[in-house]
Amino acid sequence: MNKKIIATTSLAGCFGCHMSFLDIDERIFDLIELVEFNKSPIDDIKKFTKQVDIGIIEGGCCNSENIEILKAFRENCNILVSLGECAIMGGLPALRNGISIEECLEEAYIGGPTVQENTNKILPNDDELPMLLDKVYPCHEIVKIDYFLPGCAPRADLIWDALIALVTGNEMELPYEVVKFD
Amino acid sequence: MKNEIITITSKYQDDRHRLMDILIDIHDLYGYVSEADIELLSERLGMSEVEINETITFYHFFSRTPRGQFNIFLNNSITACMRGHDLVKKALEEACGTTFGSVSQDGMFGLYSTSCIGMNDQGPSAIINDKVFTNLTTYRVMKLVADLKSGKSPDEAIYESTGDGNNSDPYVRAMVFNNIRKRMVILDKDHIKFEVVRSLLKGHSPEEIIDIVENSNLRGRGGAGFPTGLKWHFGRRVESEHRVIICNADEGEPGTFKDRVLLTEFPDLVFEGMVIAAYATGADIGLVYLRYEYRYLYKFLNHILDKMRKEGLLGKNIAGIKEFNFDIRIQLGAGAYVCGEESALIESLEGKRGEPRDKPPFPVEKGYLNYPTIVNNVETLATTVRIVKNGADWFKGFGTKDSLGTKLLSVSGDCKFPGIYEVEWGTSIREVIEMSGADDVQAVQVGGPSGVMISVKDIDDLGTTELMKWYKPSGMMVAQKTFDRKLSYSDLPTGGSIMIFNNKRDLLKEVVMNFMDFFIEESCGSCSTCRNLPFIMKQKLQKILDGHGVRKDIDDLLSWGKIIKISRCGLGQTSANPIVSSILNFRYLYEQHVKAMADFDNVFDLEKSVEAANSFVGRKANFHHA
């Protein structure tokens, strides 16, 4: 059987979901028998080198780079999974959505109580920097997402079960405890 | 300023449970509650400032920032929108020189939108400093604002005449019309006031009165339909030092205005019903929770209560019955739809945010200040007077087998004769349409926004559709071919709101969107489901209406509609009804808009979404392509 190919990324996330993924511990040896990694921080491949079966997205979209990467994932992956609260709902970064972007920048770089060094009141505007979006978007508002794995971060067992289900093509068991509201 | 606040709190014995009254008095004096006032209140009432802020921010008519000298609250119900609300709104903005949600620079006018104010048969209407102005047009609005600018008071600016009946009473003087179109037994003009309390109660024990009401099978007229006799029975059963009768006059369901008419023309009947309920249940405390929108009736109602006290119909040993002590106080609300839910209403009566309580315990066990409390609708109380006077068997002569008696309908929308119709239960929608002189009717909304839209095809599957299992209709939007359905607890239960829409109306764009706005505005915010889902569901509907919808969007809406059922109260549970029921029964309206072939469409525009940040930091857009 051909190995399935997996890609992962963290957009506006904290890498907590990736850490949780690593919590599958020694099962990573089993996993590597089943799958091959492509673009991912796990193997540090920066660009897609082939069409991928499963793309796993951590984090929502807060800047133009997130959008580009997410679109590249959609183009290069057959199945996309939103992993964790931030990818699904924007999560902690989306707390800024109730505040205007101008106010956020002002607080972060000019007027905030922890701003001490920025005497010239410079706002980050270098051409090389990604551009900030007006608000933080969940991934499914940008591209079509096929599956959602909720949690902050989703438990390692849940990620494992979901991956195995996707790789083997078997249905995943979702008992009430997993899908209950809170 | 300090002394005035202390005068006010002293008037209410520094009782924190009277916070609503205290805040209303402060608003009357200053138009808003300042931070200094809040600090002082916290000291006087022994509450934290946070608690006081919680209450202030919950209600529409309270404010922590200065409002205008004249505050205009324009009603934005669907029927008002159908009768030129948008034009009136624009005219008001131009005439007052400010936009809605803010105060004009000279501090003269504050403009605000507000949900249904119980004037659907004479909209668009507005409340200006507690006075109601009905049938507004752009011309009238301009004249009105000019009058106010020239120094007239809102009272003097009433531009034509006061309304019919008691609307012209010196204690009311409102330009509101009753529009009573059909009278049967409740609206019978020839009744003898307080006859039951004066001469009938003495001959019956409290248990006998409860028996009569129980035998009549009277069910609550507010919409939920709980058997009234049973409620009284439960209330009486609990041992307690005090018992409370509350008259729920927080008529907030959009499209309902029958209680307003009852309180205007038959306040004696409503109060008499309360006295009877008090006698039957052994209650000594009576409260009327009057929605703030009906404040123009406050003096008038208090005047009636004073007369009753003088005639020995309230107070000690009522009507000569020993140890029968009962009095009634009117408590004003401050603008919150959810306070019509009985436990939220009780919270509000205690000076708190009107958030529904967890049940059990039910109010009949632990209600107002933890005393057993019976909350009855205005119309229910009025009906009990007729029942006690004429007997249960007489009452059973009206209506159908499972829905006895008559019902007051509040009819509005596309019809010639909007107003109040007293009909027997079992009256069909077609009959209501004919009575009200409506033609070219596309749909009829029965039971307000929390109602359901039903079309012909789905009626047959009602019992079998999986969706109906979790779906408890509290009202319905009825399509043309099913106009023969009958108003009754088993078929079309209703609190009496009937809104008629003709074929020129866009049901989704106009009606459903307006109803969703209502639920978004009125959610108390306690349950995350009701706080969030109506908002994102409306966004999704907007996406569909904008031509960006796909089939999956319709399915999403249906599945989100299920989740919302876990909300704590009826408002939350029904807040997806406008969308869910219109999909279930008018699905073709949605399918007209969605893309049949696409499986995904986002409305996201990268260039637009980076504009704000870029211009603030001073850079040009630069799109790398990875």
Side-chain angles (χ1 to χ4, degrees):
Chain A
M1 185 180 91
N2 282 343
K3 279 187 177 180
K4 295 274 182 194
I5 307 167
I6 290 183
T8 75
T9 189
S10 176
L11 306 175
C14 68
F15 268 95
C17 295
H18 274 80
M19 300 309 291
S20 187
F21 181 23
L22 293 179
D23 280 342
I24 62 173
D25 299 331
E26 75 284 358
R27 280 173 287 183
I28 201 160
F29 296 116
D30 301 330
L31 184 65
I32 214 68
E33 294 300 316
L34 291 169
V35 305
E36 163 192 338
F37 279 88
N38 198 270
K39 177 177 163 61
S40 169
I42 299 216
D43 54 13
D44 210 23
I45 296 180
K46 307 281 191 204
K47 293 202 167 173
F48 284 104
T49 57
K50 52 175 131 176
Q51 186 68 16
V52 164
D53 295 299
I54 302 159
I56 297 172
I57 317 284
E58 170 190 340
C61 296
C62 75
N63 64 31
S64 55
E65 189 200 16
N66 296 154
I67 301 284
E68 276 164 30
I69 293 177
L70 182 57
K71 283 183 176 166
F73 263 75
R74 181 70 275 178
E75 248 169 61
N76 290 283
C77 303
N78 299 335
I79 292 172
L80 271 196
V81 183
S82 268
L83 179 67
E85 168 70 15
C86 299
I88 296 175
M89 308 230 198
L92 209 59
L95 281 180
R96 79 158 156 102
N97 285 2
I99 304 163
S100 76
I101 186 73
E102 290 88 352
E103 212 179 314
C104 288
L105 285 163
E106 160 81 28
E107 180 75 9
Y109 293 103
I110 306 206
T114 55
V115 181
Q116 281 158 10
E117 305 294 322
N118 190 7
T119 44
N120 293 330
K121 307 200 170 187
I122 296 167
L123 288 165
N125 60 3
D126 193 281
D127 223 24
E128 286 301 308
L129 294 172
M131 296 169 288
L132 282 182
L133 306 182
D134 55 347
K135 60 174 187 171
V136 178
Y137 293 81
C139 294
H140 64 267
E141 285 188 15
I142 308 299
V143 299
K144 182 170 188 288
I145 299 288
D146 302 292
Y147 296 99
F148 301 85
L149 265 188
C152 180
R155 288 173 298 111
D157 289 344
L158 191 68
I159 299 174
W160 171 258
D161 289 348
L163 264 181
I164 294 303
L166 281 172
V167 169
T168 60
N170 293 321
E171 200 170 331
M172 184 180 173
E173 261 183 59
L174 288 169
Y176 174 74
E177 294 70 37
V178 172
V179 294
K180 69 179 177 182
F181 192 74
D182 64 354
Chain B
M1 207 159 185
K2 199 172 167 181
N3 286 336
E4 280 137 3
I5 301 282
I6 292 173
T7 313
I8 290 172
T9 59
S10 312
K11 186 172 148 196
Y12 301 103
Q13 292 83 43
D14 291 340
D15 181 357
R16 60 184 290 168
H17 297 118
R18 300 298 296 276
L19 183 59
M20 294 290 282
D21 300 277
I22 293 168
L23 291 174
I24 288 171
D25 282 4
I26 294 176
H27 276 80
D28 286 347
L29 214 50
Y30 306 117
Y32 76 110
V33 193
S34 70
E35 272 184 43
D37 297 344
I38 293 170
E39 212 174 291
L40 189 55
L41 283 179
S42 127
E43 211 175 279
R44 300 287 303 183
L45 304 179
M47 303 169 76
S48 71
E49 288 177 33
V50 171
E51 285 174 298
I52 294 167
N53 276 314
E54 275 182 347
T55 298
I56 296 174
T57 53
F58 188 80
Y59 298 93
H60 201 71
F61 289 98
F62 290 154
S63 172
R64 288 184 299 176
T65 49
R67 282 188 167 163
Q69 183 190 345
F70 301 108
N71 294 303
I72 305 180
F73 290 87
L74 180 66
N75 165 232
N76 59 10
S77 316
I78 175 65
T79 49
C81 293
M82 283 154 50
R83 290 175 49 130
H85 162 273
D86 292 355
L87 289 171
V88 169
K89 185 175 175 178
K90 216 173 125 224
L92 271 173
E93 290 188 327
E94 277 169 22
C96 299
T98 185
T99 51
F100 266 73
S102 57
V103 181
S104 64
Q105 273 196 327
D106 56 7
M108 196 160 183
F109 295 102
L111 295 181
Y112 308 93
S113 287
T114 188
S115 305
C116 191
I117 61 171
M119 302 288 161
N120 256 19
D121 54 339
Q122 42 208 301
S125 47
I127 298 172
I128 307 177
N129 295 11
D130 307 340
K131 278 268 160 197
V132 178
F133 293 80
T134 59
N135 288 316
L136 295 173
T137 59
T138 49
Y139 168 76
R140 287 173 164 187
V141 160
M142 286 191 297
K143 186 160 178 307
L144 187 60
V145 173
D147 276 1
L148 294 173
K149 277 185 179 167
S150 73
K152 285 189 182 173
S153 73
D155 222 2
E156 295 163 326
I158 291 182
Y159 44 77
E160 271 147 28
S161 60
T162 50
D164 56 341
N166 286 338
N167 289 306
S168 293
D169 186 283
Y171 286 95
V172 183
R173 283 195 41 76
M175 54 178 299
V176 178
F177 281 83
N178 293 322
N179 291 331
I180 300 176
R181 310 284 183 182
K182 184 168 162 50
R183 295 170 190 266
M184 291 183 72
V185 291
I186 300 171
L187 300 180
D188 180 7
K189 277 190 286 195
D190 300 326
H191 79 290
I192 303 164
K193 287 181 184 174
F194 304 116
E195 187 190 6
V196 174
V197 171
R198 263 195 245 274
S199 48
L200 275 173
L201 279 192
K202 245 177 277 179
H204 292 88
S205 69
E207 287 80 4
E208 281 169 357
I209 300 286
I210 294 186
D211 278 347
I212 296 172
V213 176
E214 272 200 286
N215 280 336
S216 76
N217 288 335
L218 170 66
R219 296 171 68 166
R221 297 306 198 217
F226 191 85
T228 307
L230 200 59
K231 204 185 247 186
W232 290 12
H233 188 82
F234 285 149
R236 184 174 179 81
R237 211 170 50 177
V238 183
E239 283 293 320
S240 177
E241 191 190 344
H242 298 285
R243 280 194 199 82
V244 188
I245 299 290
I246 294 175
C247 169
N248 182 347
D250 190 57
E251 181 172 56
E253 186 74 56
T256 323
F257 43 87
K258 61 177 178 79
D259 293 346
R260 185 243 302 159
V261 173
L262 274 175
L263 290 168
T264 308
E265 291 306 314
F266 298 89
D268 52 281
L269 204 59
V270 179
F271 295 148
E272 188 172 11
M274 289 180 77
V275 176
I276 293 170
Y279 177 73
T281 58
D284 53 343
I285 301 170
L287 293 162
V288 177
Y289 187 86
L290 183 68
R291 65 188 308 219
Y292 192 90
E293 290 82 347
Y294 295 166
R295 192 180 186 184
Y296 71 97
L297 294 171
Y298 184 74
K299 267 191 205 157
F300 170 70
L301 294 175
N302 269 318
H303 173 67
I304 308 269
L305 290 176
D306 278 341
K307 275 208 291 196
M308 286 174 71
R309 284 185 198 107
K310 272 183 207 145
E311 292 173 26
L313 298 168
L314 284 177
K316 296 232 149 59
N317 303 322
I318 292 173
I321 302 169
K322 275 212 167 139
E323 312 276 293
F324 178 25
N325 308 328
F326 178 70
D327 209 328
I328 298 174
R329 174 170 75 78
I330 301 174
Q331 172 69 59
L332 279 173
Y337 167 76
V338 70
C339 290
E341 196 276 345
E342 61 178 7
S343 67
L345 183 149
I346 290 169
E347 287 284 294
S348 180
L349 274 167
E350 294 178 357
K352 294 181 261 182
R353 291 167 70 84
E355 288 182 11
R357 291 178 178 175
D358 280 328
K359 286 164 233 164
F362 291 92
V364 284
E365 299 153 336
K366 273 183 180 203
Y368 178 65
L369 303 179
N370 282 336
Y371 301 129
T373 301
I374 290 142
V375 185
N376 282 144
N377 174 261
V378 171
E379 185 185 348
T380 312
L381 288 163
T383 309
T384 58
V385 183
R386 304 292 195 221
I387 292 173
V388 173
K389 177 168 181 246
N390 298 305
D393 286 334
W394 165 85
F395 187 70
K396 286 178 179 171
F398 301 95
T400 66
K401 199 167 137 267
D402 65 341
S403 310
L404 296 168
T406 63
K407 179 82 192 84
L408 301 188
L409 302 181
S410 315
V411 179
S412 62
D414 293 316
C415 63
K416 286 198 194 81
F417 312 111
I420 299 294
Y421 293 76
E422 183 180 0
V423 300
E424 277 186 83
W425 281 107
T427 301
S428 72
I429 296 297
R430 189 178 305 284
E431 287 170 289
V432 176
I433 291 172
E434 276 165 18
M435 276 186 252
S436 62
D439 47 25
D440 194 26
V441 179
Q442 178 182 191
V444 177
Q445 180 79 13
V446 182
S450 53
V452 185
M453 295 182 175
I454 296 269
S455 75
V456 209
K457 203 170 107 321
D458 300 290
I459 296 281
D460 302 333
D461 312 329
L462 273 191
T464 52
T465 312
E466 192 263 335
L467 284 159
M468 291 310 290
K469 284 182 202 152
W470 51 267
Y471 197 75
K472 265 196 191 160
S474 55
M476 314 212 172
M477 178 167 269
V478 187
Q480 212 170 17
K481 285 184 192 164
T482 51
F483 285 162
D484 288 319
R485 295 186 63 188
K486 291 176 169 33
L487 297 168
S488 62
Y489 288 104
S490 55
D491 190 8
L492 285 175
T494 176
S497 165
I498 306 265
M499 288 185 263
I500 301 173
F501 304 110
N502 69 21
N503 276 312
K504 293 190 196 85
R505 307 294 170 193
D506 185 328
L507 287 187
L508 298 190
K509 220 178 262 179
E510 291 182 63
V511 183
V512 175
M513 286 299 260
N514 179 285
F515 287 171
M516 291 313 289
D517 280 335
F518 169 76
F519 283 114
I520 291 166
E521 172 64 31
E522 294 298 336
S523 169
C524 82
S526 176
C527 308
S528 57
T529 41
C530 157
R531 184 174 65 238
N532 297 314
L533 278 170
F535 181 78
I536 59 174
M537 288 176 87
K538 188 197 153 194
Q539 276 187 329
K540 192 144 235 19
L541 175 56
Q542 186 64 56
K543 178 183 174 222
I544 291 172
L545 292 174
D546 288 344
H548 290 289
V550 294
R551 281 174 189 279
K552 170 102 180 6
D553 289 324
I554 305 180
D555 298 336
D556 281 350
L557 286 171
L558 282 177
S559 69
W560 296 350
K562 285 186 199 176
I563 298 170
I564 217 162
K565 295 284 146 187
I566 65 163
S567 306
R568 197 191 292 172
C569 78
L571 169 67
Q573 286 158 10
T574 53
S575 57
N577 279 14
I579 285 182
V580 172
S581 67
S582 59
I583 296 177
L584 283 181
N585 306 303
F586 293 80
R587 196 177 175 113
Y588 61 92
L589 292 177
Y590 286 81
E591 303 211 324
Q592 282 167 4
H593 290 283
V594 299
K595 298 177 173 176
M597 305 305 284
D599 68 345
F600 185 78
D601 180 4
N602 67 0
V603 207
F604 179 72
D605 181 342
L606 180 58
E607 286 182 36
K608 235 188 202 161
S609 75
V610 297
E611 259 171 27
N614 280 356
S615 90
F616 190 71
V617 299
R619 68 179 279 192
K620 280 196 183 127
N622 169 22
F623 297 102
H624 305 267
H625 292 286

